[in-house]
Amino acid sequence: MTIPSHVKDMLNRIRARFFDSPLHERMVPSDAEFTTLRPVRKATQASVDKYWTRLANTTGAADRNAIADPLTMAMPEQFNANIENFIGTVKLPVGIIGPLRINGLNAHGDYHVPMATTEAALVASYARGAYAATKSGGISTAILYEGVIRTPAFVLENLLNAGLFVEWVVSQVETLKAAAESTTGHGKLVSLEPVIDNNVVFLICRYTTGDAAGQNMVTIATNALCDDIAARCPVALKAWYIEGNFSGDKKASFLGLVTGRGRKVSASVTLKADVVTRSLGTTVQDMLDYGQVANLGAHLSGQLGAQAHYANGLAALYIATGQDAACVAESAMGITRMEARGDDLFCSVTMPNILVGSVGGGTSLPSQSAGLNILGLKGAGHGAALAEVVAATCLCGEISIVAAIAAGHFTRAHENLARHR
Amino acid sequence: MTIPSHVKDMLNRIRARFFDSPLHERMVPSDAEFTTLRPVRKATQASVDKYWTRLANTTGAADRNAIADPLTMAMPEQFNANIENFIGTVKLPVGIIGPLRINGLNAHGDYHVPMATTEAALVASYARGAYAATKSGGISTAILYEGVIRTPAFVLENLLNAGLFVEWVVSQVETLKAAAESTTGHGKLVSLEPVIDNNVVFLICRYTTGDAAGQNMVTIATNALCDDIAARCPVALKAWYIEGNFSGDKKASFLGLVTGRGRKVSASVTLKADVVTRSLGTTVQDMLDYGQVANLGAHLSGQLGAQAHYANGLAALYIATGQDAACVAESAMGITRMEARGDDLFCSVTMPNILVGSVGGGTSLPSQSAGLNILGLKGAGHGAALAEVVAATCLCGEISIVAAIAAGHFTRAHENLARHR
Amino acid sequence: MTIPSHVKDMLNRIRARFFDSPLHERMVPSDAEFTTLRPVRKATQASVDKYWTRLANTTGAADRNAIADPLTMAMPEQFNANIENFIGTVKLPVGIIGPLRINGLNAHGDYHVPMATTEAALVASYARGAYAATKSGGISTAILYEGVIRTPAFVLENLLNAGLFVEWVVSQVETLKAAAESTTGHGKLVSLEPVIDNNVVFLICRYTTGDAAGQNMVTIATNALCDDIAARCPVALKAWYIEGNFSGDKKASFLGLVTGRGRKVSASVTLKADVVTRSLGTTVQDMLDYGQVANLGAHLSGQLGAQAHYANGLAALYIATGQDAACVAESAMGITRMEARGDDLFCSVTMPNILVGSVGGGTSLPSQSAGLNILGLKGAGHGAALAEVVAATCLCGEISIVAAIAAGHFTRAHENLARHR
Amino acid sequence: MTIPSHVKDMLNRIRARFFDSPLHERMVPSDAEFTTLRPVRKATQASVDKYWTRLANTTGAADRNAIADPLTMAMPEQFNANIENFIGTVKLPVGIIGPLRINGLNAHGDYHVPMATTEAALVASYARGAYAATKSGGISTAILYEGVIRTPAFVLENLLNAGLFVEWVVSQVETLKAAAESTTGHGKLVSLEPVIDNNVVFLICRYTTGDAAGQNMVTIATNALCDDIAARCPVALKAWYIEGNFSGDKKASFLGLVTGRGRKVSASVTLKADVVTRSLGTTVQDMLDYGQVANLGAHLSGQLGAQAHYANGLAALYIATGQDAACVAESAMGITRMEARGDDLFCSVTMPNILVGSVGGGTSLPSQSAGLNILGLKGAGHGAALAEVVAATCLCGEISIVAAIAAGHFTRAHENLARHR
């Protein structure tokens, strides 16, 4: 039997659902009439009502009340800068962990960290890691680098023109920098680097973005830079695009791993042997042994970097503090390491792509703003510290999951905590 | 000057923050006393109060009210199965798009899709893509494969024992399958495949998970399978781990791209030329031209697959329907393709790692349940259709962003919609 | 200065070469007449003479004599099955290492391994590794898997037809297998697995290839399989291609790392502590310490797997034994691991993509045939053992380079041995 | 049946070979005596004789004569700087293609290119591509960048010290550059860039290497740089290593794809429609159509970049001209693109990691030197042109294979040309 059995099983499963309904009838386009939603940019009680009327076929009063609840509907306009076609809010439960002691270049002190998730056991697991880290003296953190990138692409006639284009861009860099920075009070263009693939040139435009995550800021600045190029460049452009799908925006990429996007932060702690034993229920050696296997698994499966579950900590913290949850896709990579230090266990995470801001994005919405206040990191001056808190939190998660798997507790924790569903 | 200028700039920036505070004082461990949070698994009004008292240093009444609002606090216990150390809820605004016509193997009909996000312009962009797709007859979708994997690792004495271990496992597969499936009413072990690296053996355990996303289900089932191996295997095990960091759980990996994890879905539509012109404000040829550059960018930056921003659609839809937002990290990869079909434009997405359920996880929380009801996909029997809706929604996002970048509108949209912040 | 200085330097370097010759004159197409080489499939003294006459502008008698030497020209026809447009031979020096003791599933005994290279220090380095391994009792090896893949691609009208196509192929697998195997006495189709990306279907056709490397064998067999599909398939094909650029043929790919291509072999040895000290001039702990850093470097640089320099051993052995040197590109990946075993050092390599044959390809040319005879592995029945020798040899190279870098000898070895050039 | 059938088949195959010989007896270490080879650095007739005596068990006179032939043995000492433990030479057949017209920044003119391989059809295929390219006016080429990297790693006590270390290195860059460059007449350190992972710092040291490939040159220079750091650095080093396994030396890596290693060259040609039809036997549209599928295959299989078979051209040209064949592993990646240009077909390759020299390595051996003379590119001043010839040759191979697969000729060519084996 040359066809793997699971392939046959799958075909049978798929086929079984459609025993007597010919597939081709289901999957063809249909010209049936439809009435599209009228787009709404500024939500009002009336616009929300209208939408819910439309949803009445599949939803009931309880559904509507769960999303368009009275508190939300008291001020629908507060969401206007963050969403279109507004129908209410979804509520994610928030738990806290802490105190998490951070001895960082920017973050410094004992923090309580809010985490929003619907996955049982997650907060408890991070809390356990935070306890072990704090009990061992806290987590050292440092921002190593920062710079959000946009990478516009320019299409030239041929290789020669691509070379001439790059020469011209390099000669104009101060003017282009001024054009980019004229659009923003906080963004600074810190580097401009060309990558040539024959007649196509990508420009890696790297910005510091102050205390904001800065994704929109760099888009707008880069657009101004490109407009200036398009207006003045003596080499004919066949086309240009604000983003050549090269920057790693909203997705994992090796470019991001190698050069960083957003803030690059490293965080580490040396866990005391007795803390490992008493608080984590395992031993330093067992954690190191598992670390070897986990590292092998990372290589063999083709991860970008090697880590266990940054995404859990990132998603929970991003959502609780008004960051862009979609950036989890690009932030969730990096390196987790463990080493023996005498009898103790050194653990570190280095995360090259943390995208967070203490201003901008969703940070001024009421509950998200409160999330930042819990950390004491709301508003100007706190972007770098917030990034360090993110890395420290992810380190807590790594410590806890490695200990759980090394000790054989991983499954049990999930069984117990999710048992009520 | 051999050191890149941005490296020097960055060092200066970092140094500037700490002019007169010696770095080494900030970054050393501290043994100061601390009082850890008392963990709370079953939230009550009292437990929430206690936590907020603790947060009083950094938060005010408005913060507390934003998270521990009266409606949330009316029933804190409804979140007990989803979170620990509960302090309230964070509210994310939800917008809808639609109708999105889907002519799918499982999803079939005109859907309104709820999307939760704090990023301006996102919902509007997906709505535009949905309109263009529906106007062109709708999106064809099909589940191509399903199977959530867990990959326990077994450490043997040496290569020979690894071989003997695999031989034994293969001989016991029916018993092991029974052990795994005894833990679950819905999960089925569909394939068990060993990967040997000298003395370490990973077992790729692939399950169908019914209508649930199934991450916990496969963990518990695999644990039973491993326990059975550990109890009966005649070849000595040095250690075993429930997860060898090989499955791609919560992270992008090439294994996931190649073999799939969760549900693999393909979605496509042929956009009519006049729809492209009128609704998307660009042309088929301009979209194709940009597609070439975007594809080049994907290769050069080391993406896993090639796509623009699945993560945006995934995060918004996962959050709105009670899915695990951390899974965006693994779901946000795949292939977006475009081709000319006569004068029209064929567009497709193929996403190998969609992790969604119409039951389990956060799906029964009130607002998330309402999100599923908006789709008409709550409860048993809807898992496959939900996965198809996810892929179709992501296709709308790809269409819209490609059109916007091809037309040069991308920046403007973000400028306009985020202008109020 | 926003442009990295090395970018500017490079532009200046490039520009400096063309001070007074306008670039655009150099780089435009030219319609000048030319006389192409008359292709020669069966070399004769006369055909070789004719070619050298043509090369007389740039070459002298010494050049000609170095390539078209009297011994080569005594029998130019012996190369007819291996090359076209023959002008003579290039001579690569061959060194030997050994005895290399292998305790393998297939290779078993003490081997002398011929290595062809022009890189000083390479043979000496592998010899050192072989000595340390043999002194520690020899290297255990095992073939874990075999299967050369071809991956034809089929383009269908749409997603629905892709599904129907796969269903039909699965139903016909025995007939297709017969078609494929009818072309070869040694190749067996062991698995056929479809991968669907919307309307494009790749079929992963995996073959065992007897004692041959088998690249041509699987191409011819797969072509027959495809012809049979094209002739009989009831679902309309828009196009099909013998290779969808998916198999990893002649290039590194994660598919190859994950699923293997060619023969997958693991090799390991536990080096005795005193052998490490006396023969390798370092210590077990120093090698382990470097191993941690080397592993980190592998992750951060985006290697496929983690290893030091398989390519050196592979190229030298492939060339010396008549294998396809281009396959180094796909074979040079896998995992090297080290662990403490008491006071000793366990070392292993696992290489998923070894492409070698003891028959076919260049193995019957005189000097290459002699290379195989040195190993005692020429002809039928030795393919698997040869693959194990390859892995064992690469392990020797890993041991030696890790020891050299850990001890700080690496540079010195290269300085000394290459000093005469 | 949950175990894939091919897994079971493979186990059975492996087991079948050892029906009555217990595996564990074969695979255990053995302490049997052995006499290692006495290493020989300066080959003489006598040393070669001695080795062959040793090989007499497995080889006969014909074998010896094929490797230690009279012409080789007339001057065994000429190989002394390139090999140890010399036993003779292996002879690879060389074919030529051409004229290949190159309109390059550095290479300019009509070239005959020597290719050494034992794979039938390879030279004929490249010759066909060269004809089509030359007939269309020739290939434009340009070096875009150069810089061979070494990446030493430094282990510090902790994150803080890593930061202080980087600060110190940056402050000393001119002195370090002088130390590095003091070891070489041709190498220049053009950039020094730190990458920090918590307490480990990699320094990306990038050099131009004149006309040499330069791998040894950069090792020696970097060693001097590291010695200077070790001698003077005020921050305590726990360890340092000349190479942190980060540079991509002898292996494919995403770092190499993104930042380049060796010389980065782009080559392109616009094939005339009638040349495609008449010389390549297919059409522009058919080649474009296949290009889409090939590109999809590249993404789905996790290639680094997207190309068909650079490795074939690289290996053949590297071997014929005395380059390091092992570098095929790192050079064989990049991007091949095709686009319609009116009725014609634009084709390009961009290869970031070409490692070649017109001096050094194996370039002064007689037959290899003759290979360079055939190109007219031997000795000082030709390194850049040689790199451009490499890229142009690879482009010919891409054109030919794409045409063959698009036309369905690929298999036939291999069947016909390899038929005599």
Side-chain angles (χ1 to χ4, degrees), chain A residues 107-240:
Chain A
H108 204 270
D110 287 4
Y111 293 86
H112 289 93
V113 184
M115 307 187 80
T117 183
T118 60
E119 298 306 304
L122 191 152
V123 172
S125 175
Y126 279 73
R128 189 172 79 132
Y131 178 77
T134 302
K135 196 75 184 170
S136 299
I139 293 176
S140 298
T141 60
I143 282 210
L144 302 175
Y145 198 75
E146 53 183 293
V148 180
I149 63 178
R150 266 286 162 222
T151 49
F154 299 82
V155 182
L156 287 301
E157 183 60 33
N158 52 32
L159 176 54
L160 174 59
N161 278 8
L164 297 174
F165 172 76
V166 169
E167 261 201 328
W168 182 82
V169 165
V170 167
S171 76
Q172 301 293 310
V173 68
E174 292 309 325
T175 314
L176 297 174
K177 180 176 160 72
E181 294 180 357
S182 71
T183 63
T184 163
H186 298 286
K188 300 292 168 199
L189 180 69
V190 292
S191 130
L192 179 68
E193 196 164 351
V195 173
I196 305 178
D197 187 284
N198 208 277
N199 67 322
V200 179
V201 180
F202 298 87
L203 296 180
I204 308 181
C205 301
R206 187 176 295 271
Y207 298 85
T208 54
T209 57
D211 291 304
Q215 304 248 56
N216 282 338
M217 185 193 297
V218 306
T219 302
I220 294 166
T222 305
N223 206 69
L225 183 152
C226 292
D227 278 341
D228 191 35
I229 290 176
R232 299 192 298 116
C233 179
V235 188
L237 297 174
K238 291 178 70 176
W240 70 266

Side-chain angles (χ1 to χ4, degrees), chain C residues 186-338:
Chain C
H186 298 284
K188 300 291 169 201
L189 179 69
V190 292
S191 135
L192 179 68
E193 195 163 352
V195 174
I196 304 178
D197 187 284
N198 208 277
N199 68 320
V200 179
V201 180
F202 298 87
L203 295 180
I204 308 181
C205 301
R206 188 175 295 272
Y207 298 85
T208 54
T209 58
D211 291 303
Q215 304 248 54
N216 283 338
M217 184 192 295
V218 306
T219 303
I220 293 165
T222 305
N223 205 69
L225 182 151
C226 292
D227 278 342
D228 191 35
I229 290 176
R232 300 191 298 113
C233 180
V235 187
L237 297 174
K238 290 179 70 177
W240 70 267
Y241 305 103
I242 181 66
E243 175 56 63
N245 199 25
F246 182 91
S247 69
D249 183 21
K250 308 283 168 92
K251 73 208 70 159
S253 77
F254 274 103
L255 183 81
L257 183 70
V258 169
T259 75
R261 186 168 191 266
R263 304 188 205 248
K264 177 175 177 178
V265 181
S266 196
S268 52
V269 64
T270 299
L271 296 176
K272 293 175 186 165
D274 68 319
V275 172
V276 171
T277 314
R278 273 187 284 163
S279 305
L280 300 176
T282 182
T283 66
V284 167
Q285 190 58 48
D286 284 349
M287 289 179 72
L288 287 169
D289 287 348
Y290 174 59
Q292 295 295 315
V293 172
N295 181 66
L296 175 61
H299 275 307
L300 283 175
S301 60
Q303 279 190 32
L304 300 89
Q307 43 92 20
H309 68 142
Y310 293 171
N312 276 329
L314 288 166
L317 194 36
Y318 279 17
I319 294 172
T321 59
Q323 313 301 323
D324 184 350
C327 289
V328 168
E330 59 185 302
S331 296
M333 63 180 176
I335 302 280
T336 297
R337 287 197 286 128
M338 295 188 294

Side-chain angles (χ1 to χ4, degrees), chain C residues 6 10 13-14 17-18 23 26-30 32-37 41 54-55 58-59 63 66-67 69 71 79 81-96 98-99 101 103-106 108 112 117-121 123-124 131 134 137 140 143 145-146 153 216 220 223 241-246 250-251 253-255 290 293-294 297-298 300-304 307-308 311-312 319 324 326 329 361 365-368 370 373-374 410-411 414-415 417 421, chain D residues 6 10 13-14 17-18 23 26-30 32-37 41 54-55 58-59 63 66-67 69 71 79 81-96 98-99 101 103-106 108 112 117-121 123-124 131 134 137 140 143 145-146 153 216 220 223 241-246 250-251 253-255 290 293-294 297-298 300-304 307-308 311-312 319 324 326 329 361 365-368 370 373-374 411 414-415 417 421:
Chain C
H6 53 99
M10 198 55 49
R13 283 173 63 90
I14 289 170
R17 292 202 181 103
F18 303 95
L23 290 179
R26 284 185 75 85
M27 292 180 63
V28 292
S30 150
E33 292 286 303
F34 68 97
T35 312
T36 199
L37 283 180
R41 312 236 136 151
R54 178 138 187 177
L55 302 174
T58 57
T59 61
D63 292 322
I67 287 181
D69 62 278
L71 292 171
F79 299 102
N82 295 85
I83 198 133
E84 303 84 42
N85 300 5
F86 180 73
I87 60 163
T89 58
V90 65
K91 286 83 184 173
L92 275 89
V94 179
I96 51 168
R101 183 164 296 163
N103 311 305
L105 210 52
N106 294 279
H108 204 270
H112 289 93
T117 183
T118 61
E119 297 306 303
V123 172
Y131 178 78
T134 303
S140 299
I143 283 210
Y145 199 75
E146 54 183 292
N216 283 338
I220 293 165
N223 205 69
Y241 305 103
I242 181 66
E243 175 56 63
N245 199 25
F246 182 91
K250 308 283 168 92
K251 73 208 70 159
S253 77
F254 274 103
L255 183 81
Y290 174 59
V293 172
L300 283 175
S301 60
Q303 279 190 32
L304 300 89
Q307 43 92 20
N312 276 329
I319 294 172
D324 184 350
L365 294 176
S367 53
Q368 286 84 344
N373 276 336
I374 290 171
F410 179 72
T411 312
H414 283 81
E415 271 179 311
L417 289 165
R421 279 196 207 131
Chain D
H6 53 102
M10 197 56 49
R13 283 173 62 89
I14 289 170
R17 291 203 182 105
F18 303 95
L23 289 180
R26 285 184 74 84
M27 291 180 63
V28 291
S30 150
E33 291 285 304
F34 69 97
T35 312
T36 198
L37 283 180
R41 312 233 136 152
R54 180 140 187 175
L55 301 174
T58 57
T59 61
D63 293 320
I67 288 181
D69 63 278
L71 291 171
F79 298 101
N82 295 84
I83 199 132
E84 302 84 43
N85 299 4
F86 180 74
I87 60 164
T89 57
V90 65
K91 285 83 184 173
L92 276 89
V94 178
I96 52 167
R101 182 164 295 164
N103 311 305
L105 211 50
N106 295 278
H108 205 268
H112 290 94
T117 183
T118 60
E119 297 307 303
V123 172
Y131 178 78
T134 302
S140 298
I143 282 210
Y145 198 75
E146 55 183 294
N216 282 337
I220 294 165
N223 205 69
Y241 306 102
I242 182 65
E243 175 57 62
N245 199 24
F246 182 91
K250 308 285 169 90
K251 72 208 71 156
S253 77
F254 274 103
L255 183 82
Y290 174 60
V293 171
L300 284 175
S301 60
Q303 279 190 32
L304 299 89
Q307 42 93 19
N312 276 329
I319 293 172
D324 185 350
L365 294 175
S367 54
Q368 287 83 346
N373 276 336
I374 289 172
T411 312
H414 282 81
E415 271 179 311
L417 289 165
R421 282 198 204 130

Side-chain angles (χ1 to χ4, degrees), chain B residues 287-374:
Chain B
M287 289 180 72
L288 286 168
D289 286 349
Y290 173 61
Q292 295 294 315
V293 171
N295 181 66
L296 175 62
H299 275 309
L300 284 175
S301 60
Q303 278 190 34
L304 300 89
Q307 42 92 20
H309 70 141
Y310 292 170
N312 276 330
L314 288 166
L317 195 37
Y318 279 17
I319 294 172
T321 59
Q323 314 300 324
D324 185 350
C327 289
V328 168
E330 58 185 302
S331 296
M333 61 181 178
I335 302 279
T336 297
R337 289 198 284 129
M338 295 189 295
E339 293 172 18
R341 291 280 167 100
D343 292 337
D344 299 335
L345 183 71
F346 168 85
C347 304
S348 77
V349 299
T350 303
M351 304 176 65
N353 282 35
I354 295 176
L355 276 143
V356 291
S358 58
V359 302
T363 60
S364 47
L365 294 176
S367 54
Q368 287 83 345
S369 169
L372 284 171
N373 277 336
I374 290 172

Side-chain angles (χ1 to χ4, degrees), chain A residues 6 18 84 105 121 145 251 308, chain B residues 6 18 84 105 121 145 251 308:
Chain A
H6 53 102
F18 303 95
E84 302 84 43
L105 211 50
Y145 198 75
K251 71 208 74 157
Chain B
H6 53 100
F18 302 96
E84 303 84 43
L105 210 52
Y145 198 75
K251 70 208 73 155

Side-chain angles (χ1 to χ4, degrees), chain B residues 156-158 199 238, chain C residues 270 284 339-346:
Chain B
L156 286 300
E157 184 60 32
N158 52 32
N199 68 319
K238 290 179 70 176
Chain C
T270 299
V284 167
E339 291 173 19
R341 290 280 167 99
D343 293 337
D344 300 334
L345 183 70
F346 167 85

